[in-house]
């Protein structure tokens, strides 16, 4: 990926990077990033000398057909780990185990605390499960990362990316050793996650929204559905009004 796609990405898009010195040359670490675009998982590994392992939804590995097989081969080739998200608790435990395995091998583990892509470019509340539990269970440092403008390069639903320069800001490692042995305390998990999200917010300059991105997506979808239904009702009312006017004119024309 680094020598083929990674090199092409850097040549074509020329991403700028700040804070590369905060990535350790060796040893385990967790890269916690905001998530603006599908391309985030390509740009970040492309600018690093070391391999980064992200978790990816299982659908990328199980979709049938030629395209599905090619997608699965690519994700396996770049070392991504499939996680079945069909059961919320099972998916969370699988993600945590996968992250711990990566850290125990002394590698870099990449995770998006928001849990899904931002629907509107703002930064949403981090989920306290995966990131905090992996960090506290392993003692690995958490390095906050901010992806800049990747949502403009490849917005959700767009296949062909727009040629422009994205940015990547890498913050200083965060040490949570003060919480050793407290990885099952939900208040500690929330505190760790919020601290990481605050650092990401400072790096990215995004507006912070204190709800989960999944909830925001539902709200946006419901608003779009309501707007569509309102449009249909307005169109129906307009047609009824036109029909009534036509009928009234017809009756007027037939009057002696």
């Amino acid at each position: 990926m680094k020598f083929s796609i990674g090199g092409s990405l850097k040549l074509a898009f020329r991403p700028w990077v700040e804070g590369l010195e905060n990535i350790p040359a060796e040893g385990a670490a967790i890269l916690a990033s905001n998530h603006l675009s599908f391309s985030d998982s390509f740009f970040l590994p492309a600018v690093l000398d070391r391999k980064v392992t992200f978790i990816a939804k299982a659908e990328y590995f199980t979709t049938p057909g030629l395209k599905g097989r090619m997608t699965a081969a690519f994700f396996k080739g770049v070392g991504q780990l499939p996680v079945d998200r069909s059961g919320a608790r099972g998916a969370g435990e699988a993600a945590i185990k996968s992250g711990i395995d990566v850290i125990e091998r002394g590698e870099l583990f990449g995770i998006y605390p928001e849990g899904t892509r931002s629907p509107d470019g703002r930064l949403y509340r981090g989920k306290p499960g995966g990131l905090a539990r992996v960090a506290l269970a392993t003692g690995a440092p958490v390095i906050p990362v901010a992806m800049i403008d990747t949502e403009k390069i490849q917005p959700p639903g767009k296949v062909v990316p727009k040629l422009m320069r994205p940015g990547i800001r890498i913050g200083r490692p965060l040490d949570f050793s003060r919480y050793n042995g407290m990885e099952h305390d939900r208040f500690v998990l929330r505190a760790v996650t919020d601290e990481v999200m605050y650092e990401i917010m400072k790096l990215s300059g995004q507006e912070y929204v204190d709800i989960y991105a999944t909830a925001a997506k539902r709200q946006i979808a419901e608003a779009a559905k309501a707007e569509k239904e309102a449009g249909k009702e307005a169109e129906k009312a307009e047609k009824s009004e036109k029909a009534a006017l036509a009928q009234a004119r017809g009756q007027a024309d037939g009057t002696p």
Side-chain angles (χ1 to χ4, degrees), residues 144-250:
V145 176
M147 306 301 295
I148 312 292
D149 290 336
T150 53
E151 82 282 10
K152 298 175 183 177
I153 292 175
Q154 191 177 25
K158 297 293 183 181
V159 177
V160 180
K162 177 182 178 182
L163 279 177
M164 61 177 292
R165 293 189 73 186
I168 302 172
R169 288 197 183 98
I170 303 169
R172 295 180 179 179
L174 303 174
D175 177 17
F176 294 106
S177 59
R178 63 189 183 276
Y179 296 124
N180 281 348
M182 304 175 71
E183 62 266 25
H184 297 293
D185 186 317
R186 63 189 181 93
F187 296 106
V188 170
L189 296 178
R190 182 77 263 163
V192 169
T193 305
D194 287 346
E195 184 174 337
V196 174
M197 298 309 296
Y198 179 71
E199 293 300 322
I200 293 174
M201 181 188 70
K202 290 198 299 183
L203 291 169
S204 68
Q206 291 170 277
E207 177 187 349
Y208 179 76
V209 185
D210 196 26
I211 62 172
Y212 293 125
T214 49
K217 286 184 175 182
R218 284 196 300 271
Q219 291 176 3
I220 291 171
E222 289 169 359
K225 182 180 178 181
E227 184 177 356
K228 185 177 181 180
E229 290 176 351
K232 288 181 178 179
E233 289 297 324
E235 185 179 352
K236 184 178 178 181
E238 185 179 357
K239 287 181 179 179
S240 297
E241 184 178 352
K242 287 181 178 179
L245 286 172
Q247 184 179 6
R249 286 171 183 165

Side-chain angles (χ1 to χ4, degrees), residues 24 27-31 50 103 106-110 140-143:
I30 301 168
L31 304 184
R50 298 182 60 188
I103 294 299
E107 300 174 1
L108 298 178
F109 176 59
V142 179
I143 302 174

Side-chain angles (χ1 to χ4, degrees), residues 5-18:
I5 297 176
S8 300
L9 282 177
K10 288 192 288 186
L11 182 64
F13 293 92
R14 299 180 299 114
W16 56 266
V17 188
E18 296 176 0

Side-chain angles (χ1 to χ4, degrees), residues 43-176:
F43 283 114
L44 179 56
V47 302
L48 303 180
D49 293 331
R50 298 182 60 188
K51 173 185 174 182
V52 184
T53 299
F54 286 90
I55 52 175
K57 60 184 180 181
E59 290 89 332
Y60 287 141
F61 298 82
T62 59
T63 303
L66 177 61
K67 181 179 179 181
R69 290 196 297 272
M70 292 176 65
T71 300
F74 173 79
F75 277 93
K76 290 176 182 176
V78 297
Q80 306 306 286
L81 302 174
V83 173
D84 184 1
R85 304 194 302 183
S86 58
R89 182 170 179 80
E93 293 300 324
I96 292 163
K97 184 180 183 304
S98 298
I100 291 174
D101 289 344
V102 172
I103 294 299
E104 289 180 344
R105 295 198 299 266
E107 300 174 1
L108 298 178
F109 176 59
I111 189 169
Y112 301 114
E114 291 168 280
T116 187
R117 282 174 285 179
S118 170
D120 54 14
R122 297 186 293 177
L123 184 68
Y124 285 85
R125 195 181 195 201
K127 295 190 173 182
L131 166 65
R133 283 186 59 186
V134 173
L136 298 183
T138 62
V142 179
I143 302 174
V145 176
M147 306 301 295
I148 312 292
D149 290 336
T150 53
E151 82 282 10
K152 298 175 183 177
I153 292 175
Q154 191 177 25
K158 297 293 183 181
V159 177
V160 180
K162 177 182 178 182
L163 279 177
M164 61 177 292
R165 293 189 73 186
I168 302 172
R169 288 197 183 98
I170 303 169
R172 295 180 179 179
L174 303 174
D175 177 17
F176 294 106

